[in-house]
Amino acid sequence: MVLHPKAQVRVAGQDVTFCCKASGTPVPKKYYWYHNGTLLERKAQQPGSRLALRGLAPEQAGTYHCKASSEAGAIRSAPAQLTVLAQGQQSCGSEPEPSLVELPSECPQDATGSRYYNVGRCPPSPCADGPGDPSGCGEDTGHCCGVRRMELREIPCPGFLLPIKVVAECGCGPCAQPRVLVQGRVTAADTGEPLRFGHIFLGGRKVGFTGYKGSFTIEVPPDTQRLVARFVDRQQQFVDTIKVLPFDRRGGSVYQEVKMLRKKEPVDLDGSQSNAIPLGEANGQEPVGELVFPSGAFLRPSGEVFNGTVRASVTFLDPRDMATASAASSDLSFTNAEGEIVPLRTYGMFSVDFREGESGAALQTGPVQVRMDTRQVWMPEHLEKMKLWSLNPETGLWEEEGVLRPAGGNRRKREERTFLVGNLEIRERRLFNLDVPEDRRCFVKVRAYSNEKFNPYEQLEGVVISLINLEPQPGYPTNPRAWGRFDSVVTGPNGACLPAFCDSQRPDAYSAYVTATLGGEELEAVASSPKLNPSAIGVSQPYLGKLGYRRSDHDDPDLKKTAFQINVAKPDPNNVDETNGPIYSYRSLEECEQAPVSANHLRFYRVEVDKYEYNVVPFKESDLTSWTGDYLSWWPNPQEFRACFIKVQIEGPQEYMVRSRNVGGSHPRTRGQLYGLRDARSVRDMQLQSTSGACVEFKCSGMLFDQSLVDRTLVSIVPQGSCRRTAVNGLLREYLSRHPPLADNNHTGAFTMLAPADPLGHNYGIYTVTDQNPRLAKEIAIGRCFDGTSDGFSREMKADAGTAVTFACQERPPGRESFFQRLLTAPAEA
């Protein structure tokens, strides 16, 4: 499906057109349209792939999807929502929705001491349009609800007034069109060696190369539903890897680590003889099966039989080895007869490469036998359904090659084994799979939070949640013997729903291993030992006990805390304790996606040093559509986000909070006005005694949102303790003196500068990263700052490397205020 129908909003009585388009061989010419899952009568459809609805009535609202078919099969589009408004009904109310931001700790707002202030938001929902593009298939972006007017308020804090801009009115305007990117790194699954300058393909089109360190950036084409990327090693040391990469449709970039499987060393075969190659030798276990080549099986592309020496490399990805899951290709899905994309459960996949011994020319094969040992099929019902599949590298979908049947007649060698046997011809496709369609499916609800408080309004969006389906050993549910499939989903404003295999009869028939990453950083799961805490995990008893929740360090506290494992126990609809999540039946996806935050769900959270961010113009970094064009916006350009950090070394007996205060420095519209505040706690350097370091964000200098004049941000760095400045980086001091004006820097308890307009590096103690995703830009910059280099990455603080300014701090005598406290209580005197 290359064009999917788009969501539309109309007023009753208006017309609407939906459009879809499929490609294939042969070209699909039959299209069928469905409303809320029901096939529409042919008279309601136009010939071809368009659906035109005239004079809309309210009952025509709902979801629409199309199905295209030919003799080769069928494919279904993603559903599109049609909203039909009554006459006079507003699709975008002028009254903003509530949206809370956290104020600085010194600014409580009411008698209860709450630090949260309602700044309002406009939901980025589509607005009612006229037909616009008569075909319904154009690039018209339409109109969306957004901010029409903001107003400035001042909040009284001890010693100063804190400015804040709140949404006063919403209205319809052109929809924002942020760029959608996937970024990441491609490395070897066994050694971590990067794929240097490898080819990247989308479909059959080459779109770029990986970098020297294996890094890549892919811009997601418009209307993409499945992003299928193929990574090819030019040196042919690794198997071609095809990945279905998750992305955030609302814009920005998602970070992915891609693992490639190293090719097995080739063996020499005599093409004139029959040969057998085993499939799978995990940890000394018996092979899963074998490939049997009769004499004369190898062919040149012309069809000529090749009887010489064949260099044969068969690389088997063995699901009995838990470490191989990340290197598997595609997302183990196929298209059924109804055109629906549904999952497979793998028993192993293999990649083949056959070449002539002397010339190295590629070879194909005639009929080859695939034999699978039935003892390796642990679920007896799967023996009847085992099939052989090949991977379509353009769609990332597996396509059926044949069925594996019990072997008849005399057994070959190893008389004690029985085999499932199938036949295969190896032509253009080189990646194959031993799989079973599995219809016992559920969804698992997972949310990610910015901290351990699990506040509903502090959920993280853009987090990649990954789930690997495991098959436990009988009687040992925490000791899996194989993985079956894997899926990744990006969290939105209401978390993520991940598909998983499940079973209603045996709760531990399938288990799931779940992880979460944000910009390459692993998030932490909620602890399961020494005692389960249902309110922290997010699932109430007794269902939690049935799920058998265990964090990865449950038995060994030295292990990482970044994953959890559960039994995917299908909910019993007759048991009220199991009807509120976190497991939902496969037909209840909408219920899972729309579940309130109070419903049962599983959780991850960020573990980080204390930090705090305040923007005068509120902006939700996980939702780029919340950006507002304003002179006081922290990020002046919604298409490109530049993150700046300064590294501060603290010599003192403890860790200290360090604040950056950022005001307009040189622009006539913002001079002296606050952009925002940033607080970050210093992190102990484990190699240095009584020394810590802080990576503190500041607002980069540069053009403001009107792109007419540069503002040199006036940045003040103030440790929140009894501290005095003892050193400033010599290169930074020299740069600032050569780029006047110089900021007044006469108090030893702080450091003030007009921020550099140039992207300086670690030699200056300044770390600058530009990216289409603000969170990713900040993550990369923080990693470099911790490491003290311009291209490294570390989560361990190296306080004496690449610092900009140093403070010496000491314990304050009782009753004496620090300079930071004096700034709050008596700013003029301070």
Side-chain angles (χ1 to χ4, degrees), residues 342-368:
V342 288
L344 291 167
R345 185 256 186 262
T346 188
Y347 278 91
M349 57 183 71
F350 57 95
S351 170
V352 299
D353 186 25
F354 304 125
R355 297 185 179 273
E356 294 184 23
E358 291 185 7
S359 68
L363 292 170
Q364 301 175 354
T365 78
V368 171

Side-chain angles (χ1 to χ4, degrees), residues 172-404:
C172 288
C175 295
Q177 289 294 303
R179 294 173 69 198
V180 180
L181 301 173
V182 174
Q183 297 178 308
R185 210 161 65 98
V186 188
T187 56
D190 52 357
T191 64
E193 168 192 348
L195 174 67
R196 294 191 169 107
F197 312 119
H199 297 292
I200 305 173
F201 293 85
L202 293 185
R205 181 171 57 94
K206 187 193 292 185
V207 296
F209 299 88
T210 60
Y212 181 76
K213 293 192 174 183
S215 58
F216 68 90
T217 298
I218 298 172
E219 183 156 4
V220 181
D223 203 45
T224 299
Q225 294 292 325
R226 276 170 61 89
L227 181 65
V228 180
R230 179 161 57 107
F231 299 91
V232 178
D233 175 22
R234 297 191 301 170
Q235 309 299 321
Q236 289 298 301
Q237 295 179 344
F238 300 105
V239 174
D240 291 1
T241 298
I242 295 154
K243 288 289 185 183
V244 180
L245 299 172
F247 59 93
D248 191 342
R249 289 180 173 82
R250 296 169 304 161
S253 59
V254 169
Y255 186 88
Q256 276 292 104
E257 288 278 356
V258 176
K259 300 295 183 184
M260 294 190 80
L261 203 61
R262 193 178 299 276
K263 280 187 177 179
K264 186 117 176 171
E265 283 295 318
V267 295
D268 288 345
L269 304 179
D270 184 345
S272 64
Q273 303 292 320
S274 61
N275 297 276
I277 296 179
L279 298 175
E281 298 166 349
N283 301 321
Q285 299 184 56
E286 287 284 334
V288 169
E290 60 187 5
L291 282 181
V292 179
F293 304 88
S295 60
F298 295 100
L299 308 173
R300 290 188 166 119
S302 63
E304 176 192 353
V305 174
F306 179 77
N307 285 321
T309 301
V310 177
R311 300 279 288 163
S313 171
V314 177
T315 307
F316 188 76
L317 189 137
D318 197 326
R320 297 173 299 180
D321 181 356
M322 304 305 299
T324 62
S326 61
S329 270
S330 181
D331 60 354
L332 289 172
S333 298
F334 75 105
T335 307
N336 66 11
E338 294 300 311
E340 185 182 6
I341 295 177
V342 288
L344 291 167
R345 185 256 186 262
T346 188
Y347 278 91
M349 57 183 71
F350 57 95
S351 170
V352 299
D353 186 25
F354 304 125
R355 297 185 179 273
E356 294 184 23
E358 291 185 7
S359 68
L363 292 170
Q364 301 175 354
T365 78
V368 171
Q369 213 174 61
V370 182
R371 297 163 60 86
M372 185 176 183
D373 187 348
T374 56
R375 294 179 306 174
Q376 302 299 333
V377 182
W378 305 296
M379 293 189 174
E381 62 270 28
H382 286 177
L383 289 170
E384 306 294 323
K385 301 189 290 183
M386 189 70 64
K387 294 182 180 181
L388 187 62
W389 309 76
S390 68
L391 182 61
N392 184 326
E394 296 192 10
T395 65
L397 294 170
W398 294 89
E399 297 174 3
E400 187 177 332
E401 289 279 345
V403 178
L404 274 72

Side-chain angles (χ1 to χ4, degrees), residues 399-584:
E399 297 174 3
E400 187 177 332
E401 289 279 345
V403 178
L404 274 72
R405 303 284 188 205
N410 294 327
R411 294 184 188 175
R412 297 174 68 255
K413 53 189 177 180
R414 304 189 187 224
E415 289 295 318
E416 73 280 4
R417 294 195 294 167
T418 57
F419 286 91
L420 295 176
V421 178
N423 291 310
L424 169 73
E425 290 190 14
I426 299 170
R427 303 293 185 182
E428 290 83 8
R429 295 191 183 171
R430 298 299 170 112
L431 190 57
F432 303 94
N433 208 343
L434 300 163
D435 272 30
V436 172
E438 178 59 275
D439 54 9
R440 293 174 291 183
R441 295 174 280 163
C442 289
F443 286 97
V444 181
K445 183 74 175 197
V446 181
R447 299 179 190 268
Y449 293 85
S450 60
N451 55 54
E452 229 174 330
K453 298 174 185 174
F454 305 119
N455 288 323
Y457 41 83
E458 292 185 315
Q459 292 188 64
L460 291 174
E461 301 173 43
V463 176
V464 179
I465 311 288
S466 297
L467 183 150
I468 302 175
N469 257 118
L470 308 174
E471 186 177 281
Q473 299 276 7
Y476 299 92
T478 61
N479 182 21
R481 63 180 170 190
W483 60 268
R485 71 171 282 112
F486 50 86
D487 285 277
S488 294
V489 177
V490 177
T491 57
N494 200 33
C497 294
L498 289 104
F501 294 145
C502 58
D503 195 281
S504 56
Q505 303 301 316
R506 295 178 297 156
D508 63 348
Y510 281 115
S511 62
Y513 182 83
V514 188
T515 59
T517 59
L518 178 63
E521 173 198 355
E522 294 179 302
L523 274 62
E524 193 160 300
V526 181
S528 59
S529 61
K531 183 180 177 182
L532 278 178
N533 182 349
S535 61
I537 293 168
V539 182
S540 56
Q541 293 284 23
Y543 199 16
L544 178 61
K546 188 175 180 180
L547 297 180
Y549 178 93
R550 294 164 71 94
R551 194 168 69 175
S552 44
D553 67 338
H554 185 87
D555 295 317
D556 184 352
D558 292 333
L559 293 178
K560 294 168 79 172
K561 306 172 183 178
T562 53
F564 65 78
Q565 189 171 321
I566 58 168
N567 300 325
V568 191
K570 188 174 183 178
D572 179 357
N574 299 315
N575 185 340
V576 68
D577 293 319
E578 299 180 13
T579 57
N580 195 32
I583 313 296
Y584 295 83

Side-chain angles (χ1 to χ4, degrees), residues 16 25 63 222 226 229 307 313 467 477 492 505 540 545 587 632 657 703 777 812:
V16 72
T25 306
T63 60
R226 276 170 61 89
N307 285 321
S313 171
L467 183 150
Q505 303 301 316
S540 56
R587 297 300 170 193
L632 293 177
M657 293 296 288
M703 295 283 191
R812 238 176 13 262

